[in-house]
Amino acid sequence: GYRYYHSLPPITKAYGTVCLAVTTVCSLKLLHPAYIALIYEDVFYRFQVWRLFTSFFFLGNFSINFGIRLLMIARYGVQLEQATFDRRTADFLWMMIFGGLTLLGLSAIPFLWNPFLGISLVFMLLYVWSREFPNAQINIYGLLNIKAFYLPWTMLALDVIFGSPILPDLLGIIAGHFYYFLTVLHPLSTGKTYLKTPRWVQKLVRRYKIGAPAPVNSRAAAQPEQQPGTGSAFRGRSYRLSD
């Protein structure tokens, strides 16, 4: 167990660990979830700025659903960071930050507001993974085999069947598609990349030696390469995302 945990990539490991810790504290009733929920009135009028961050770390009380979300981080988040974003820790961290900012913006719309955005961020990771590895075969509860491309929608459908809220799932899918469109689909069709990893994120990764910084060799970084399990329509992840 320790060896496996130690082998996990830094960003996914940190996020999953904090989610587990926050959920444990809340489940033991040492902290009420209301104190970390995203409530914009408290953020702007009571200056409880921490809510903008803490709302991403609560995945619900201990339950089967919580276990599934944590496993999604451990499988799909880890594979993204280790394969697609190999030696590009700054780019992966920026994807998480951009996803969080997108979700905060979406949740500011009254009918899209959600007090906890952790599940949405996990679903964003799942969506981006499904686009990077669209042809991977996934077995759902030993009953159904599907291509990874359809996994986010299948998980959303299962939430509908089991009565779980679908808004968090939908927000994650929207944020994931927005990111994927800006970093892969749009650059592939136009040759222009508008969403690049900011220098401050690269400096943060270098300063604290978190994983690996973004590649600096522009020619090597600009060469599109096919990831395992992807089809020709989904090449181009290695388009350079940073200056």
Side-chain angles (χ1 to χ4, degrees):
Y2 174 78
R3 286 185 178 181
Y4 169 75
Y5 180 78
H6 188 67
S7 70
L8 295 175
I11 306 302
T12 312
K13 178 168 63 176
Y15 181 62
T17 301
V18 175
C19 285
L20 178 59
V22 170
T23 298
T24 300
V25 170
C26 290
S27 295
L28 294 175
K29 302 190 184 305
L30 300 176
L31 174 68
H32 197 284
Y35 291 110
I36 59 175
L38 177 62
I39 303 173
Y40 279 110
E41 289 81 1
D42 288 342
V43 172
F44 292 112
Y45 297 112
R46 296 181 179 86
F47 304 106
Q48 297 178 1
V49 182
W50 68 81
R51 295 178 181 273
L52 296 173
F53 305 94
T54 55
S55 61
F56 289 101
F57 301 122
F58 183 67
L59 301 178
N61 290 316
F62 283 135
S63 63
I64 293 176
N65 273 345
F66 166 74
I68 291 173
R69 306 310 182 204
L70 205 61
L71 285 173
M72 287 165 66
I73 297 174
R75 178 172 181 180
Y76 307 120
V78 166
Q79 190 172 5
L80 263 183
E81 189 172 355
Q82 286 183 333
T84 304
F85 289 87
D86 182 37
R87 298 196 57 78
R88 294 169 52 221
T89 303
D91 290 343
F92 186 81
L93 177 58
W94 172 239
M95 182 191 73
M96 296 283 286
I97 294 172
F98 178 80
L101 293 173
T102 302
L103 291 170
L104 287 173
L106 289 171
S107 203
I109 303 171
F111 63 89
L112 294 180
W113 174 76
N114 201 47
F116 300 105
L117 296 175
I119 292 175
S120 299
L121 191 59
V122 172
F123 246 78
M124 178 199 171
L125 286 174
L126 174 64
Y127 182 86
V128 175
W129 177 86
S130 74
R131 298 303 297 261
E132 293 292 350
F133 302 90
N135 295 321
Q137 290 294 317
I138 302 296
N139 184 274
I140 305 294
Y141 301 135
L143 301 173
L144 179 67
N145 284 314
I146 62 169
K147 286 189 175 183
F149 185 82
Y150 302 106
L151 184 58
W153 305 104
T154 304
M155 297 298 293
L156 186 146
L158 288 173
D159 279 344
V160 172
I161 293 172
F162 292 120
S164 299
I166 64 170
L167 180 59
D169 303 0
L170 283 174
L171 290 178
I173 289 173
I174 293 171
H177 185 74
F178 188 42
Y179 172 82
Y180 194 78
F181 174 80
L182 290 176
T183 58
V184 178
L185 300 182
H186 188 265
L188 279 175
S189 61
T190 65
K192 298 179 181 179
T193 303
Y194 293 111
L195 183 64
K196 300 179 180 180
T197 302
R199 291 187 181 278
W200 66 267
V201 177
Q202 298 176 31
K203 290 179 180 178
L204 183 70
V205 168
R206 284 196 294 265
R207 179 175 180 180
Y208 293 99
K209 298 179 180 178
I210 307 170
V216 295
N217 187 326
S218 59
R219 290 186 64 184
Q223 291 297 321
E225 61 184 20
Q226 188 173 358
Q227 295 295 337
T230 58
S232 59
F234 299 93
R235 296 177 185 174
R237 160 53 58 198
S238 56
Y239 267 76
R240 192 172 176 226
L241 303 184
S242 57
D243 270 329

